[in-house]
Amino acid sequence: MRPRRRSQARLLAALTWGGSLLVPALTGCRRDEQAAASSTVAIGVGAIPGAPNYAQVVHGVELAVARLNETAGGPRFRVRLPDSSASSAVQVAQQLRNDPAVIAVVGHPESGSTLEAIPIYADAEHDGANGVVAVSPTSSSPRLSGISPWFFRVAPSDADAAGFTARWVLDSLRARRAAIVYRNDSYGRDWAETFAAGFVRGGGQVLSRNPYLTGIVEWDAYAALLAAEQPDVLLFPGDGADALALRRALRVRGVRVPFVGGDGAEGMKADPEAAGAYYVAFFDERHASSAEAAAFIPAYRGRHGRAPDMFAALSYDAAMVIGRTVAAGARTRAALRLALSRIGNGAPSVDGVAGRIAFEEDHDIKGRTVVVTRIPGVAPLDDEMTVPGAAAPPATRGRR
């Protein structure tokens, strides 16, 4: 997920919410004390403006802030957006960390951006003196487990999600010969490696693992290779748009193979050409039954005219666990970090859209649900080797 250049003019981010104009406070010293003394605290959006899924992250945080202000008690909350000039994860992190009003950050949605930004949020240069908590909604790289005391996440690690998917492919699709086409970044490589290891352990054979770079790829060449290999299943940890492009190339060559996208491929589900494909998700509104889901899903539909996706739902959850913990008394950045680390380790869990929120000792989410979903409908040349029904049953997983 790549940054897009914006005007270099520095703009103060402003957000109209509930009829009032919300403007971030200026950078200053004694940040924890100033944030604690303020009657309004800000939750920052740690995502690159204009990048894929940025809007969904913002929408999720906005609705969480509205919900917190209705129900949480304590300080009022507001959204702090990064300046529109920010074109990298590091720039976003610097802006949010240096804003004394920001009590914590929701982000980043991508593992690569998160890995770049964590040293900034942790203020590693000054041994954490001005650190700020970052709670990622969807970063899933195993390399993030325990990476920093200032980092938490509400999505399962790829070590869980990809490993579960390997077993699901073996047991439900009864596939034994897999091909993998993966986006050549930390997300795609981690997914491919973990899936392959679990698939082989379960008795399967990985025929090939082929990386790709978005925008620099000849999909027909990949389709030709898959036509020659004739796998039982194709795993695709990549973007939704790239998944659709590969499926078109496969159809041109008449290749019939069950297609299983990783969680990054969720965006393909809105396109009719994706009918019949599977994808892995950390949230599916059809399986969401919590009290927060009952509030969030209709609110999101009413505001945006469509169902929320994984990025919006888990951004809401990340903001909610921040806000509930602040409302319970953690009014400084340092106090919030310690309080979050105790959730699930002596302190009660927090209700979220995708389930209860509690953290492992390494700050990974405990026991989150992974759903393998089949996109409804029938597309040309879809293989008939599918699980009956529109969706695979959800599986609740802890850490392996």
Side-chain angles (χ1 to χ4, degrees):
M1 300 179 183
R2 294 162 180 75
R4 299 178 183 176
R5 295 253 175 220
R6 294 287 189 239
S7 167
Q8 295 303 305
R10 183 175 178 82
L11 303 175
L12 286 175
L15 173 68
T16 301
W17 183 259
S20 60
L21 185 65
L22 306 178
V23 182
L26 297 177
T27 301
C29 59
R30 302 179 62 193
R31 292 170 172 81
D32 277 354
E33 292 82 353
Q34 291 182 36
S38 173
S39 60
T40 301
V41 295
I43 297 176
V45 172
I48 301 167
N53 304 307
Y54 173 78
Q56 296 96 305
V57 174
V58 173
H59 295 162
V61 176
E62 287 176 347
L63 286 173
V65 163
R67 174 83 164 158
L68 289 165
N69 286 335
E70 292 171 357
T71 63
R76 298 282 294 174
F77 294 90
R78 63 182 177 87
V79 180
R80 166 58 156 104
L81 300 177
D83 296 356
S84 60
S85 60
S87 60
S88 71
V90 168
Q91 289 176 337
V92 169
Q94 288 171 335
Q95 290 177 7
L96 299 178
R97 185 201 62 189
N98 292 339
D99 186 337
V102 173
I103 191 72
V105 174
V106 173
H108 288 240
E110 320 92 351
S111 293
S113 292
T114 300
L115 287 163
E116 293 176 6
I118 282 175
I120 309 301
Y121 291 125
D123 195 20
E125 185 178 2
H126 304 102
D127 295 323
N130 188 36
V132 61
V133 163
V135 182
S136 174
T138 52
S139 294
S140 55
S141 170
R143 287 180 286 170
L144 293 169
S145 297
I147 194 170
S148 168
W150 294 94
F151 176 73
F152 299 77
R153 56 177 163 185
V154 295
S157 164
D158 290 337
D160 290 321
F164 163 72
T165 304
R167 291 192 298 278
W168 181 88
V169 166
L170 287 163
D171 296 342
S172 297
L173 295 185
R174 303 191 182 281
R176 293 297 180 268
R177 301 169 73 252
I180 304 172
V181 176
Y182 64 93
R183 192 175 68 202
N184 195 13
D185 61 7
S186 60
Y187 161 74
R189 290 189 294 268
D190 289 337
W191 246 93
E193 181 179 354
T194 306
F195 175 89
F199 193 71
V200 170
R201 267 197 313 271
Q205 176 188 5
V206 176
L207 302 177
S208 61
R209 284 196 278 180
N210 293 297
Y212 79 88
L213 292 172
T214 298
I216 313 175
V217 60
E218 291 290 338
W219 289 115
D220 182 65
Y222 289 82
L225 176 63
L226 292 165
E229 290 178 334
Q230 297 185 333
D232 297 335
V233 66
L234 170 61
L235 181 81
F236 188 85
D239 288 332
D242 294 328
L244 290 168
L246 177 54
R247 283 175 63 81
R248 292 185 196 110
L250 291 171
R251 288 195 188 104
V252 169
R253 286 193 171 265
V255 179
R256 301 166 60 91
V257 59
F259 188 104
V260 181
D263 57 278
E266 184 185 17
M268 69 176 173
K269 67 182 182 181
D271 194 303
E273 288 190 310
Y278 297 91
Y279 68 93
V280 177
F282 304 143
F283 166 79
D284 187 319
E285 67 165 326
R286 292 170 294 181
H287 299 290
S289 58
S290 69
E292 284 301 328
F296 169 73
I297 292 171
Y300 192 95
R301 282 186 175 277
R303 186 176 253 271
H304 301 291
R306 61 183 184 277
D309 66 6
M310 173 181 72
F311 296 96
L314 295 186
S315 295
Y316 179 96
D317 278 4
M320 289 300 294
V321 74
I322 291 168
R324 297 291 187 203
T325 308
V326 171
R331 302 298 173 82
T332 70
R333 291 177 172 184
L336 177 61
R337 177 177 66 83
L338 292 174
L340 287 173
S341 69
R342 297 187 182 114
I343 296 176
N345 299 288
S349 58
V350 174
D351 193 30
V353 170
R356 302 297 293 177
I357 302 170
F359 297 108
E360 301 279 3
E361 291 185 2
D362 61 6
H363 298 176
D364 278 2
I365 191 74
K366 280 186 178 180
R368 261 295 160 95
T369 297
V370 176
V371 181
V372 181
T373 298
R374 184 175 185 272
I375 299 172
V378 178
L381 297 180
D382 271 346
D383 196 287
E384 294 301 319
M385 187 176 64
T386 59
V387 176
T396 302
R397 301 239 324 123
R399 289 179 53 80
R400 294 189 301 169

